[in-house]
Amino acid sequence: MSRLITVFLFCSILLAQTQQQTPSPYRGAPQTTAAQQENFPPELLNELESIKLSALADDYAYHQVAHLTDNIGPRLSGSPQAKAAVDYVAEELRKLGLEVQLEEVKVPHWVRGAETAELTEYAGQVPGTTQKIVLTALGGSTATPVDGLNADVVVVNNFDELHALGREKVAGKIVLFNVLFDKQKAAAGLSFVAYGEAVRYRGAGPKAAADLGAVAALVRSVGNADYRLPHTGYSAPAGIPAGAVTAEDADLISRLFMQGKVRMHLTLTPQKLPDATGYNVIGDLKGSEHPEQIVVVSGHLDSWDLGTGAIDDAAGVGVAMEAAEVLHQLGLHPKRTLRVIAWIDEESGGAGSRAYSTDHTNEFPHHVAAIECDTGAAHPLGFDARISAGAAELLRPALNVLQSFGANALQPTNYPPGADISAMSEAGVPALGILQDGRSYFNYHHTAADTLDKIVPMELRENAAAMAVMGYALASMKNPLPR
Ligand SMILES: [Zn+2]
């Protein structure tokens, strides 16, 4: 109470002081350093302002996302849809006058099959009843026999509990990792922290269970919403069937497991086909002064197969494409090369970005910066950036251009701010990710509900504006961004 009163009084005093002050004259933009002025002369700032306004009034990115999702559909690595998306994006970038190359790479080709489960025995079971379990296979999962397998379920809440059980109590069983996605963190804006804490069980849980002789592994879906939706995703090859059950079903199994034996009939029949050919789409808008210096703007073209991959990550591809489209529309040419990349295979192992880093390592010293948009399509707040403090300060004039719609934050990170640009970032290339309001991202992430309707057109325009302004700034500021 007393603290509340103090705060109230303090606020009142501040308010009173503000009201008493005579308004000081407007001093324009915050003071800029000599280096900022040298790198961002007035002509460049005017161009950045025009780019922003054009992007905020342009639905190009939305039309690209609509085509990728509604007309092409899910774009799982190795699928005909993934190839159709490659051809489409390449053609669209050619229409903008970019030099387009397809970078060939072998990608996994895994196809989802039947996926059903029911609890056939459990404490307090009413005779003649079973419990349906809603689940989906994790990427790369092996198959059960066509008519399924039957096994007892053991529920663990972490790796320590699994290891404490040991082989004796795990062998021959189905292990369920019931690890909660922390909704409070997500609601408070830390959704990627919540994701990181839970997703390691999706990634490594099945292998850990297999190592102790489990016949199958399930994880609680890594997601934020309670609509009994299973969330798929990558899992390290474990050699056993692996799936994600909905949060509701994980709770059900867990409650019954506390009461006694739980037996499950599990059917997952995905197929792993021979590796297929995939392509990164690389489109260059050649720099007018330093064509050998490259600024990457990117998103990933492949998606999971349950939905149509709108927020993950047709949005990122659309936004990167629009960075080039806006320049085309305005007749602007960056000093350095602006390289649009639509990555392949981000979801199923990252073969696309690995191929790029192998093929282009020699060019990395000339890669001035790389940006990826792969956290959805919601309102952008600015950028996550793995760049030096000096570089961050130098970018302030570009961020100021984005201040009018709130996308001017620069959040330093010590990890790569995008999966596909991580190799570049590790090699020292300044790396940025668009920092978005991620509070609802994990409601839909990797589910059947990742569809076009989840994208708010105005928010997508804001993301396109952030990408276009920052991409052009990095490609046209006087000196390359320092490392
Ligand atoms: Zn993604």
Side-chain angles (χ1 to χ4, degrees), residues 300 312-313 346-347 374 441:
H300 70 82
D312 190 11
D313 183 29
E346 191 277 334
E347 300 291 6
D374 183 22
Y441 183 59

Side-chain angles (χ1 to χ4, degrees), residues 81-92 94 102 279 281 301:
Q81 290 92 338
K83 178 61 170 64
V86 163
D87 293 340
Y88 173 74
V89 170
E91 189 51 35
E92 289 300 298
R94 284 189 194 104
L102 299 185
Y279 303 89
V281 184
L301 198 49

Side-chain angles (χ1 to χ4, degrees), residues 97-391:
L98 272 58
E99 283 179 27
V100 177
Q101 287 174 40
L102 299 185
E103 184 171 43
E104 189 176 316
V105 55
K106 285 287 171 221
V107 295
H109 190 192
W110 176 87
V111 182
R112 191 173 297 283
E115 34 197 30
T116 60
E118 56 278 327
L119 303 183
T120 52
E121 280 180 62
Y122 42 89
Q125 183 180 22
V126 172
T129 65
T130 58
Q131 278 281 14
K132 176 180 172 167
I133 296 300
V134 178
L135 84 174
T136 193
L138 294 177
S141 167
T142 63
T144 64
V146 177
D147 54 356
L149 61 79
N150 293 285
D152 290 356
V153 180
V154 284
V155 180
V156 296
N157 295 295
N158 53 52
F159 287 122
D160 288 345
E161 287 186 18
L162 177 78
H163 292 121
L165 286 174
R167 173 169 284 272
E168 195 185 319
K169 291 182 178 152
V170 170
K173 308 266 174 62
I174 297 169
V175 173
L176 167 63
F177 293 91
N178 186 26
V179 180
L180 266 62
F181 178 93
D182 188 333
K183 293 179 184 180
Q184 280 180 298
K185 283 201 181 78
L190 298 176
S191 54
F192 282 86
V193 175
Y195 182 67
E197 288 171 357
V199 80
R200 59 202 193 97
Y201 290 90
R202 190 191 77 205
K207 178 74 168 67
D211 287 346
L212 294 174
V215 293
L218 301 173
V219 296
R220 182 188 181 103
S221 281
V222 184
N224 195 29
D226 289 331
Y227 297 107
R228 215 176 176 187
L229 276 175
H231 297 240
T232 190
Y234 177 81
S235 187
I240 56 172
V245 301
T246 68
E248 291 85 345
D249 290 280
D251 284 339
L252 168 69
I253 296 167
S254 199
R255 286 193 300 271
L256 295 173
F257 180 72
M258 305 241 284
Q259 297 167 40
K261 170 175 160 158
V262 177
R263 196 163 175 81
M264 177 183 279
H265 178 225
L266 172 68
T267 307
L268 297 172
T269 61
Q271 279 180 277
K272 183 161 172 40
L273 303 175
D275 284 353
T277 303
Y279 303 89
N280 292 323
V281 184
I282 301 175
D284 282 354
L285 179 58
K286 287 288 180 194
S288 55
E289 291 179 21
H290 306 288
E292 79 290 356
Q293 295 179 10
I294 289 163
V295 173
V296 171
V297 292
S298 66
H300 70 82
L301 198 49
D302 66 303
S303 76
W304 283 105
D305 56 334
L306 297 175
T308 55
I311 60 171
D312 190 11
D313 183 29
V317 172
V319 159
M321 291 170 78
E322 187 168 324
E325 189 264 348
V326 168
L327 302 188
H328 182 72
Q329 201 190 99
L330 295 171
L332 290 174
H333 290 274
K335 290 188 172 67
R336 305 182 181 85
T337 294
L338 187 79
R339 173 170 288 178
V340 180
I341 304 182
W343 304 100
I344 199 69
D345 196 44
E346 191 277 334
E347 300 291 6
S348 306
S353 57
R354 272 202 306 281
Y356 185 83
S357 75
T358 305
D359 296 353
H360 300 267
T361 306
N362 296 342
E363 300 164 23
F364 281 1
H366 301 295
H367 275 51
V368 169
I371 315 177
E372 181 162 25
C373 174
D374 183 22
T375 54
H379 169 66
L381 308 157
F383 296 86
D384 283 319
R386 195 188 196 191
I387 60 179
S388 68

